[in-house]
Structure formats: structure tokens, C-alpha cells
């Protein structure tokens, strides 16, 4: 097969990195075009202050940043380094921020990046300009530093050019040619360039380029203030560009970097200043460069006042210059990577800051060359992750501005999203409001976390109160709802889970090819199975119900599953995939009395023999037609009951009227999460992701290696014999020591893994934390410790499942 012709649009720090990484992998039929001069093209890379802080709650984002540090540290241009590894220092000026940097230290430890917590005195030793009396402590990362973005662009251009890559400066992209649903050429003001693959690395111009192929890119350029002081007398005589660590004062939305005897000051505390990609000036029109807007001094006044307080030496200096520089923001704060769902060969690598640029270059190069990315788990970054409402201009603008405001905020893992809300509501929403539901958002859906109407259930129960951080967005009602589910019966709103319908004469064979389990079984079968990538990594776990010979209902995890199915559809039209989520709803009816609630409402047989575990049937519940799947993610007898959205409220009311006399309740997601962890059920995206295989994750039972070929089978056969880590169940005796996820796990003084999901088990009376550990430590009875803020919490490896290991309650 001939090497594909690749055109990269944008020669900034991302486009240059991608060209370098592609050519290093042998792809040299690559052309990079940019409307500006090289290497300073006029985009965000050209004015970026270059601070590289690797700390991030996302393991993937930290790993992308770590690779950027490693690569840039090895690059130079004519003896000038592309990275100044001066370290990174975050300081806390209040107790809440001090706790936050302890949590951030935990993330870095979990992800394998060296960091140290410092006393105020140690912070001042590292950065003598800081006022000792203003701070309570700090976090130091020795491998952080300053990326010289333009130099890094030049270094990577030189390397790629030596391998045969062509760079074309002053080439403005006017259009992208397509034929039969795929790209064929890029049209510039200097003519056309034939292309099999086009990668948009245009940064703040990304939405404009993407529209050329009809793609809606959820990205907003926002202005961010960067100022430079004149000489600071305390720094007189400094001949090196940077000697002190890059510094973050996140309580005031500020960061700082050296520039010889002066300082650079970045500020996120001002009002959001969004700009349309269509309104950005051209290279020739811009006074300085297109990504630089006029400095608004009035917005910077609070920043300068706070700077003079934290760094008193700056009182003898002045702000001499400043810009409002444009950067890209997205609705969830993650990059946009991957191929268009509609136009084959059109790829994007957008909303990538200098911090993650080289990592993204490597990730996308692997994805293009190999068909998957082996170095990074990209599920958080895939451009196709968004639901349709998340692409609306109103939503994108609101959430992008919110993310700008929250860049340095202390965010709780359960913190509710801001406006616009509500967006998606189930048919039961009015009833849930009437019961005092506390809602959090899930894929745009308003999903109850607990119900205030259940407050009386707390009386007489032992519901321990967790520590202050874990107690945010928590109520003792969560524990009462969990216990009541195990005692009687509960209704759970499961509408937020994505539902796909796969139909057509080729549907069974199609699903057999994508799934690890046997799907071509009798009508009424329900199968828990996995979707794998070609390297054997888990792309998703799904349930597949065969409702007719040529019709299947799939319980999926999100839009990436729909995208995966769509990309693998046969060309002969024998299979159709449709998202049916919006037109349907789902109630989970679970608990030991579930059959007593349901059976009187229907003529269908819901006895144990009438509908066995992991079987489906269609029936009427009262007057409502339902599809009933006998399965349960809380580990109790019951069913997922699906109907159309127009009849959902009637189904809810019918079930509720039958459940009430039996002491039944309605329950929220807080209880659900506790119950599913007691049962040991995994959550894709949290407990397992693309980087894990089924045997590591404890879901090898969902793989049938004796079936015909499926995607990932060959790789899985190689990986099965070499399991070096395991998703492991830990229990915690201290009832207040509830952790929330992403905390490091220690064996003695050595960090050996990290927590994924965690909750208190209200049935077993212990805290539960699932964690990735080396296989040799995943032995029941092994004692480890979890790093939680400034504490070490003792935990013990436990046999799983913790509840009902014989499955008698589920199968009864």
C-alpha cells in the first residue's frame, strides 16, 4: 500500500510536533502549510509564555505533558535549548488551597511524576521573591519548566525537513476538497495540494478550517492576559533568562515566570473575553500577530495589586508591556483529537496548549500510522466524545467561558456543572423534583444523586459521616437509600445511559466482529461484553440484548461507542445503527421485593423460570409496553425496564404505586455507586480505559477466545499470559476515611498504584476503593496505604465481590 499523502494545516507547536513524529515513523509524504511565516507563525504558539506545569487530575493529560517535557528537553536550535527545566512551584495562601496542593501532590504521585510538598520557608528558598508571611506551603515539581515554543517549533521543523517533510509558509487555506465522503486536496492561495489525510492543527482558527468540511468544532478562542514588568531591582544582574521556578498563585488566578531581571505575569482572573475564529485578523492585518489583542489595563489592575502583595519586590517595578493573547478552550477542558465522523481522512489536533503539544504530536502520529494510539489513553480527548447538544453554539460558548473562569479553581469531583442547565430531563423529572431530588449532570441529563423526601429513612440507621471533602455533594440519605434498596425495593432513573439500536440482516455478524462475547444467540439473550481496540485495550463495556432476529439493543457508555460502531459498519448497507436514547427511558427496579412490585402489574411471567438472569422479554406493565432486561448493577433481584419517552411517566407512576405499600423507595446515583462497588462492577472511563486489557481489569469472563475472530483478539491472546497489574478491591475500616478516586496507593513508602472508584459500602460497613496495583500485591489480606491529602489511610486487599458472592440475590 502506498504511503498516504498527508497535509497538516498549521505549523505551530502542534503541527510541527505531528510532522516530526510522523516522519520519525516513516511517513514522509507530508506537507505542512501555514498562513504565517516560519517558525513564528502568529498563532498561540508564537506568544505563549511557555510555562509547563505537568500537574493534572487527568492521567492522560499529565502523561502528554511529561512526554512534552522529555522531548523538549532533548531539543536545541544552534546551541539554544528548547526547554529551561527550572521546576514548577505552586503556593497556597489559604487552608483550602493548602489542602488542594496536597491533593495535587497525590495526583502526581499516582501518575508517576516526582513532586514534593514544601514548607513556607522551603518555598522562599526556591523563589526568594515570595513573601513568607503570605503563604502556608507549596508544591514543587522539579521537572516542570519553561518551553521555548518558537524554538521548539523550529527544532521540530528542522528534524522533519531532514526526513523529507515539506513546510510551506505564507499559504492560506481557502478550502478542502472532498469526493465520495473523503478528503482529496487542500486549496490554498498558492494552489491545490493533493491529500489522502488532512490534519487540522490550526489552533484558534480550528473552527473556521473544520467548517470547510462541515464539521462543528466545539472550541472558543479566549483572550488571556500576559504582562511583562520592567527591571525588578531585586533581580538586578540576572543574566540567565530563568533561574527561579515557574510560579503559580492559583488563589488569585496568577502565574509568574522569570525573564532575565524582570517577570512575566499571567492572569486568569479577568472577565472571559471570547473571540470568534472568523474575527481573528490575518497575519498581514494584525499589528503584532493575529493571536495578540490589545492589552486592557483595567482588567489587569487586580492582578498587579495582588502581585505586589505576594512578591513585594515588584513594588519597585512597573508593568511595561502586556497583551491579551488568544488561547483555545473547550467545553470540558480537554483537547480535540481524532477523525471527523462524516468526512474520512479529515483529522483534528486542536485545543492543545504548549504543555501537551509534543505528547499530542506523538499520540496522533501513532493513531494515524498504527490505527490506534499505544502510548496514551485518549478517550477523554477524542473529538467524537460529545453529545449533539454539546456542539450547540450557546453551549460551547457558555462552557468554554466557564472553563476559562475555573482554570485555577478548586473543583470537587462531583461539582455540578454550570449553565446552561437543565438541558436533558427524563420523563420522571417532575416527580423527582417533587421528591426533593438533588441533581447532578450526566451527559447533559439531570440525574438525581439522592432525594430529600427520603430523609426520614435515616432515622435509626448507622450512616457514618465521611471526611469534609468526601461529604461535599453528599447526604446521609445516600446511605439510607442504599440500605433500603437491599431491604425492600427501589426505583432508579437509568435514562442517562446511552442506548443504541443495531438492526439489519448483518447485525448479528457485525456485533460478533466487534464484541468479545458470543452475541449470535437466541432471541431474548442479554450479553455483557467488551469492545476492544486492535491492541487489545478496552474501548468500552456494553450489554447487548437480542430483541429479534435482526434487532439488538445495546447499553453503551457514550457517544464514542456510537462512533466506533458507525466507523465499522459494512459498506453493503446490511446493518444500521441508531441512537435511541432521547426517545426512550429506563427505570431500574431492584431489591428483594422487586418481583412483588412487578408481577401483579403484568400478565407476563416474571418468575425466576419465566425470565431468567441475563434474559430479556417484551411485556406490558399496566398499560405500558416495556422491554425488560433481567440484570442489575446494584447486585439485587430486578430488571431494567425500558419504554418510549412518551410513556415513561406512566410507567414510573405505575411502579411507584405498587412499590409504596411494600416500603419501596426511589433512590439516586449516590446509592447506586455504593451498591455497584459492593458488587464489584466496573465503570468504564473510571475503573478501566483504553490502556487496560480485560484480564488486568478483572473482566476476562466477558471474553470468549474460542469464538470467531473479533477486533483485538490476536493482541489479547498475546497479552493474556503477561498480566502485570490488576484492578484490585480494597476495603477501609475507618468510616470517615472515604476517598474519591485518583489517590496514590503505597506499599510501605513506595507509590505502587492509584485509586479509580471509591465509596462507602453501607451494607458491608466499610469504605471501598478499587485501585490499580502490581499483580504481586493484589493478594487478599495484603495491607497497603492510600495517600489522601496529608494522610495515609490503611486499606486491605479484599476478595471480591464483597456482597453476595454466590449471586443468590441476583438469581433468586
Amino acid at each position: 500500500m502506498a504511503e498516504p499523502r498527508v497535509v497538516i494545516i498549521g505549523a505551530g507547536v502542534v503541527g510541527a510536533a505531528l510532522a516530526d513524529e510522523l516522519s520519525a515513523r516513516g511517513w514522509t509524504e507530508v506537507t505542512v502549510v501555514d498562513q504565517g511565516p516560519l517558525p513564528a507563525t502568529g498563532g498561540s504558539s508564537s506568544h505563549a509564555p511557555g510555562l509547563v506545569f505537568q500537574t493534572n487530575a487527568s492521567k492522560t493529560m499529565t502523561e502528554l505533558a511529561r512526554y512534552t517535557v522529555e522531548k523538549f528537553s532533548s531539543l536545541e536550535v544552534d546551541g539554544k535549548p528548547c526547554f529551561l527545566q527550572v521546576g514548577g512551584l505552586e503556593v497556597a495562601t489559604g487552608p483550602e488551597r493548602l489542602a488542594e496542593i496536597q491533593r495535587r501532590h497525590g495526583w502526581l504521585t499516582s501518575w508517576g511524576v516526582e513532586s514534593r510538598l514544601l514548607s513556607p520557608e522551603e518555598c522562599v528558598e526556591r523563589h526568594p521573591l515570595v513573601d513568607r508571611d503570605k503563604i502556608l506551603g507549596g508544591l514543587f515539581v522539579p521537572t516542570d519548566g519553561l518551553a521555548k515554543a518558537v524554538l521548539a517549533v523550529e527544532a521540530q521543523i528542522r528534524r522533519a525537513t531532514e526526513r523529507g517533510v515539506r513546510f510551506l509558509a505564507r499559504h492560506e487555506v481557502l478550502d478542502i476538497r472532498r469526493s465520495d465522503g473523503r478528503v482529496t486536496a487542500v486549496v490554498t492561495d498558492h494552489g491545490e495540494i493533493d491529500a489522502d489525510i488532512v490534519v487540522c492543527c490550526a489552533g484558534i482558527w480550528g473552527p473556521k478550517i473544520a467548517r470547510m468540511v462541515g464539521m462543528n468544532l466545539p472550541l472558543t478562542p479566549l483572550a488571556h492576559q500576559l504582562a511583562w514588568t520592567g527591571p525588578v531591582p531585586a533581580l538586578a544582574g540576572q543574566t540567565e533568562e530563568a533561574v527561579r521556578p515557574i510560579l503559580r498563585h492559583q488563589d488569585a488566578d496568577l502565574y509568574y515566570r522569570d525573564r532575565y531581571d524582570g517577570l512575566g505575569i499571567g492572569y486568569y482572573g479577568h472577565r472571559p473575553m471570547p473571540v470568534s475564529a472568523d474575527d481573528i485578523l490575518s497575519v498581514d492585518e494584525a499589528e503584532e500577530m493575529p493571536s495578540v489583542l490589545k492589552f486592557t489595563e483595567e482588567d489587569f489592575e487586580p492582578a498587579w495589586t495582588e502581585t505586589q502583595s505576594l512578591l513585594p519586590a515588584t513594588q519597585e517595578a512597573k508593568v511595561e508591556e502586556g497583551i491579551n493573547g488568544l488561547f483555545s478552550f473547550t467545553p470540558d477542558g480537554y483537547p480535540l483529537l481524532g477523525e471527523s465522523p462524516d468526512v474520512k481522512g479529515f483529522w483534528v489536533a486542536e485545543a492543545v496548549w504548549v504543555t501537551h503539544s509534543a505528547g499530542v504530536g506523538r499520540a496522533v502520529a501513532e493513531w494515524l500510522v498504527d490505527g490506534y494510539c499505544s502510548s496514551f489513553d485518549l478517550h477523554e480527548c477524542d473529538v467524537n466524545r460529545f453529545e449533539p447538544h454539546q456542539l450547540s453554539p450557546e453551549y460551547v460558548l457558555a462552557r468554554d467561558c466557564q472553563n476559562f473562569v475555573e482554570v485555577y479553581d478548586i473543583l470537587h469531583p462531583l461539582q455540578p456543572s454550570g449553565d446552561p442547565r437543565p438541558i436533558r430531563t427524563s420523563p420522571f423529572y417532575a416527580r423527582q423534583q417533587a421528591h426533593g431530588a438533588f441533581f447532578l449532570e450526566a451527559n447533559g441529563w439531570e440525574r438525581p444523586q439522592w432525594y430529600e423526601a427520603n430523609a426520614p429513612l435515616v432515622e435509626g440507621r448507622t450512616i457514618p459521616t465521611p471526611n469534609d471533602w468526601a461529604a461535599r455533594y453528599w447526604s446521609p440519605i445516600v446511605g439510607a437509600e442504599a440500605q433500603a434498596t437491599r431491604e425492600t425495593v427501589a426505583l432508579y432513573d437509568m435514562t442517562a445511559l446511552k442506548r443504541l439500536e443495531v438492526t439489519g440482516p448483518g447485525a448479528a455478524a457485525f456485533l460478533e466482529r466487534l464484541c468479545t462475547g458470543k452475541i449470535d444467540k437466541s432471541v431474548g439473550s442479554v450479553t455483557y461484553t467488551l469492545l476492544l481496540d486492535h491492541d487489545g485495550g478496552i474501548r468500552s463495556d456494553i450489554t447487548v440484548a437480542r430483541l429479534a432476529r435482526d434487532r439488538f439493543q445495546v447499553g453503551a457508555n457514550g457517544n464514542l461507542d456510537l462512533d466506533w460502531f458507525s466507523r465499522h459498519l459494512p459498506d453493503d448497507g446490511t446493518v444500521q445503527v441508531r441512537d435511541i436514547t432521547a426517545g426512550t427511558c429506563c427505570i431500574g427496579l431492584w431489591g428483594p421485593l422487586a418481583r412483588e412490585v412487578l408481577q401483579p402489574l403484568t400478565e407476563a411471567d416474571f418468575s425466576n423460570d419465566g425470565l431468567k438472569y441475563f434474559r430479556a422479554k417484551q411485556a406490558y406493565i399496566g398499560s405500558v409496553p416495556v422491554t425488560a432486561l433481567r440484570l442489575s448493577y446494584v447486585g439485587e433481584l430486578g430488571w431494567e425496564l425500558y419504554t418510549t419517552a412518551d410513556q415513561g411517566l406512566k410507567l414510573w407512576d405505575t411502579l411507584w404505586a405498587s412499590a409504596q405499600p411494600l416500603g419501596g423507595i426511589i433512590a439516586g446515583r449516590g446509592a447506586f455507586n455504593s451498591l455497584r462497588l459492593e458488587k464489584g462492577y466496573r465503570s468504564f472511563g473510571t475503573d478501566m480505559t483504553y490502556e487496560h486489557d480485560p484480564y488486568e481489569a478483572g473482566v476476562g469472563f466477558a471474553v470468549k477466545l474460542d469464538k470467531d475472530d473479533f477486533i483485538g483478539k490476536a493482541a489479547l491472546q498475546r497479552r493474556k499470559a503477561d498480566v502485570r497489574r490488576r484492578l484490585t478491591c480494597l476495603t477501609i475500616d475507618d468510616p470517615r476515611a472515604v476517598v474519591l478516586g485518583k489517590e496514590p496507593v503505597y506499599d510501605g513508602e513506595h507509590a505502587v498504584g492509584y485509586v479509580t472508584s471509591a465509596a462507602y459500602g453501607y451494607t458491608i460497613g466499610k469504605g471501598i476503593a478499587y485501585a490499580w496495583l502490581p499483580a504481586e500485591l493484589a493478594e487478599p489480606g495484603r495491607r497497603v496505604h492510600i495517600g489522601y491529602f496529608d494522610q495515609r489511610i490503611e486499606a486491605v486487599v479484599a476478595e471480591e465481590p464483597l456482597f453476595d458472592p454466590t449471586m443468590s440475590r441476583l438469581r433468586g
Side-chain angles (χ1 to χ4, degrees), residues 217-542:
L217 204 63
L219 180 158
T220 304
L222 281 110
H224 159 58
Q225 291 200 304
L226 176 65
W228 300 97
T229 72
V232 177
L235 305 182
Q238 181 175 319
T239 57
E240 293 182 59
E241 180 178 353
V243 296
R244 278 164 294 280
I246 54 176
L247 175 67
R248 281 204 277 201
H249 175 24
Q250 292 175 284
D251 282 324
D253 298 301
L254 285 161
Y255 64 78
Y256 305 93
R257 57 152 293 176
D258 284 9
R259 187 171 71 166
Y260 301 102
D261 61 353
L263 292 176
I265 306 169
Y267 185 43
Y268 287 104
H270 56 81
R271 60 193 167 89
M273 304 177 195
V275 176
S276 169
D278 296 313
D279 294 335
I280 301 172
L281 297 177
S282 69
V283 173
D284 293 327
E285 292 173 320
E287 185 176 329
E288 183 174 350
M289 64 179 75
S291 61
V292 169
L293 306 182
K294 184 179 179 181
F295 189 58
T296 49
E297 294 182 10
E298 64 278 9
D299 289 303
F300 193 73
E301 287 177 6
W304 184 234
T305 300
E306 181 61 30
T307 295
Q308 292 175 309
S309 175
L310 181 73
L311 310 175
T314 60
Q315 294 172 14
E316 299 179 65
K318 294 181 179 179
V319 173
E320 291 197 345
E321 55 182 310
I323 63 170
N324 285 0
L326 294 177
F327 287 89
S328 301
F329 284 79
T330 62
D332 58 6
Y334 291 106
L336 307 173
L337 312 179
E339 188 179 23
S340 160
D342 303 312
V343 180
K344 291 182 179 179
F346 184 79
W347 288 67
V348 300
E350 289 288 346
V352 181
W353 293 6
V354 172
T355 299
H356 310 101
S357 58
V360 165
R362 177 176 179 173
V364 176
E366 288 180 356
W367 199 348
L368 286 167
V369 174
D370 301 330
Y372 59 90
C373 177
S374 58
S375 296
F376 308 98
D377 162 33
L378 296 180
H379 84 276
E380 293 171 314
C381 305
D382 193 314
V383 69
N384 297 297
R385 65 190 180 269
F386 297 102
E387 294 290 324
H389 73 273
Q390 294 174 310
L391 300 176
S392 71
E394 178 189 21
Y395 183 95
V396 171
L397 179 61
R399 289 294 169 88
D400 290 1
C401 288
Q402 178 185 342
N403 278 324
F404 177 88
V405 170
E406 293 178 347
V407 162
Y408 283 172
D409 285 3
I410 298 171
L411 301 176
H412 191 275
L414 295 179
Q415 188 159 320
S417 304
D419 290 333
R421 280 183 69 189
I423 296 175
R424 309 172 84 181
T425 57
S426 76
F428 330 126
Y429 185 60
R431 299 291 188 267
Q432 293 165 342
Q433 287 180 305
H435 281 83
F438 179 82
F439 291 101
L440 298 180
E441 186 188 44
N443 297 325
W445 293 94
E446 295 296 315
R447 184 166 67 186
Q449 192 74 358
W450 70 81
Y451 294 89
E452 288 296 331
N454 288 329
L457 286 174
V458 177
E459 267 186 63
R461 297 180 183 273
T462 302
I463 310 291
T465 299
N467 58 82
D468 292 346
W469 183 248
R472 295 190 189 185
Y473 310 108
W474 174 88
S475 166
I477 298 170
V478 168
E481 290 178 356
Q483 291 179 356
T485 301
R486 298 243 187 264
E487 295 161 359
T488 55
V489 64
L491 277 67
Y492 287 83
D493 181 0
M494 303 299 290
T495 302
L497 298 180
K498 185 174 275 297
R499 293 170 290 286
L500 307 177
E501 184 179 70
V502 182
T503 57
F510 169 75
L511 289 168
E512 284 285 346
R513 171 68 179 146
L514 265 62
C515 297
T516 61
K518 183 69 174 172
I519 305 300
D520 193 2
K521 299 186 289 189
S522 63
V523 172
S525 64
V526 180
T527 306
Y528 173 81
T529 186
L530 307 172
L531 304 178
L532 303 183
D533 215 327
H534 295 274
D535 65 345
I538 300 170
R539 287 197 63 95
S540 189
D541 64 335
I542 61 175

Side-chain angles (χ1 to χ4, degrees), residues 158-177:
R158 288 185 182 186
R159 286 165 36 136
T161 301
E162 289 173 358
R163 301 186 191 109
V165 173
R166 183 171 58 150
F167 286 82
L168 302 177
R170 294 285 186 173
H171 279 59
E172 182 181 358
V173 174
L174 304 177
D175 198 7
I176 298 171
R177 299 271 190 237

Side-chain angles (χ1 to χ4, degrees), residues 80 95 115 133 242 246 278 335 343 441 532 583 665 684 714 717 726 761 809:
K80 294 177 287 187
S115 65
D133 295 334
I246 54 176
D278 296 313
V343 180
E441 186 188 44
L532 303 183
I665 65 163
F684 177 80
Q717 288 173 317
R726 294 192 184 278
R809 293 174 74 105

Side-chain angles (χ1 to χ4, degrees), residues 49-311:
L51 287 81
V52 176
F53 287 97
Q54 298 165 84
T55 313
N56 200 290
S58 164
K59 182 173 184 280
T60 296
M61 296 299 280
T62 295
E63 290 175 340
L64 292 170
R66 178 165 52 193
Y67 181 76
T68 300
V69 167
E70 292 170 357
K71 183 176 184 180
F72 283 9
S73 296
S74 70
L75 297 178
E76 61 175 36
V77 175
D78 301 332
K80 294 177 287 187
C82 294
F83 192 75
L84 306 178
Q85 201 158 55
V86 292
L89 176 63
E90 299 180 20
V91 294
T93 58
E96 190 173 6
R97 182 65 64 177
L98 184 64
E100 171 71 358
I101 64 173
Q102 292 164 349
R103 187 166 70 113
R104 295 168 72 80
H105 173 59
W107 296 339
L108 289 164
T109 305
S110 292
W111 315 146
V113 177
E114 180 189 353
S115 65
R116 296 194 289 277
L117 292 169
L118 303 183
S119 68
E121 290 76 17
E122 291 171 319
C123 291
V124 175
E125 280 181 32
R126 299 278 180 184
H127 203 298
L129 298 189
V130 173
D131 185 343
R132 158 66 183 82
D133 295 334
K134 300 289 185 185
I135 60 173
L136 302 178
L139 172 65
F140 181 66
V141 182
T143 52
D144 285 347
L146 285 168
K148 306 291 291 179
V150 175
L151 277 181
V153 168
E154 185 172 357
Q156 292 174 102
I157 286 176
R158 288 185 182 186
R159 286 165 36 136
T161 301
E162 289 173 358
R163 301 186 191 109
V165 173
R166 183 171 58 150
F167 286 82
L168 302 177
R170 294 285 186 173
H171 279 59
E172 182 181 358
V173 174
L174 304 177
D175 198 7
I176 298 171
R177 299 271 190 237
R178 291 169 282 166
S179 178
D180 296 325
R182 67 175 310 118
V183 298
T184 59
V186 173
V187 182
T188 77
D189 56 354
H190 290 267
E192 292 192 16
I193 306 169
D194 291 337
D196 303 301
I197 294 171
V198 175
V199 188
C200 178
C201 302
I204 53 179
W205 290 279
K208 185 176 179 180
I209 298 296
R211 278 202 306 275
M212 293 178 182
V213 297
M215 186 177 184
N216 187 359
L217 204 63
L219 180 158
T220 304
L222 281 110
H224 159 58
Q225 291 200 304
L226 176 65
W228 300 97
T229 72
V232 177
L235 305 182
Q238 181 175 319
T239 57
E240 293 182 59
E241 180 178 353
V243 296
R244 278 164 294 280
I246 54 176
L247 175 67
R248 281 204 277 201
H249 175 24
Q250 292 175 284
D251 282 324
D253 298 301
L254 285 161
Y255 64 78
Y256 305 93
R257 57 152 293 176
D258 284 9
R259 187 171 71 166
Y260 301 102
D261 61 353
L263 292 176
I265 306 169
Y267 185 43
Y268 287 104
H270 56 81
R271 60 193 167 89
M273 304 177 195
V275 176
S276 169
D278 296 313
D279 294 335
I280 301 172
L281 297 177
S282 69
V283 173
D284 293 327
E285 292 173 320
E287 185 176 329
E288 183 174 350
M289 64 179 75
S291 61
V292 169
L293 306 182
K294 184 179 179 181
F295 189 58
T296 49
E297 294 182 10
E298 64 278 9
D299 289 303
F300 193 73
E301 287 177 6
W304 184 234
T305 300
E306 181 61 30
T307 295
Q308 292 175 309
S309 175
L310 181 73
L311 310 175

Side-chain angles (χ1 to χ4, degrees), residues 543-566:
T543 54
V544 180
R546 190 170 202 170
L547 304 182
R549 184 178 181 278
D550 296 336
R551 182 164 66 92
F552 298 81
Q553 180 174 303
V554 176
N557 280 300
N559 213 55
L560 290 179
D561 293 345
L562 174 60
D563 181 68
W564 186 251
F565 278 12
S566 299

Side-chain angles (χ1 to χ4, degrees), residues 27-48:
W27 280 21
T28 55
E29 291 292 315
V30 178
T31 302
V32 185
V33 298
D34 199 292
Q35 64 183 338
L38 298 177
T41 62
S44 300
S45 304
S46 302
H47 75 256

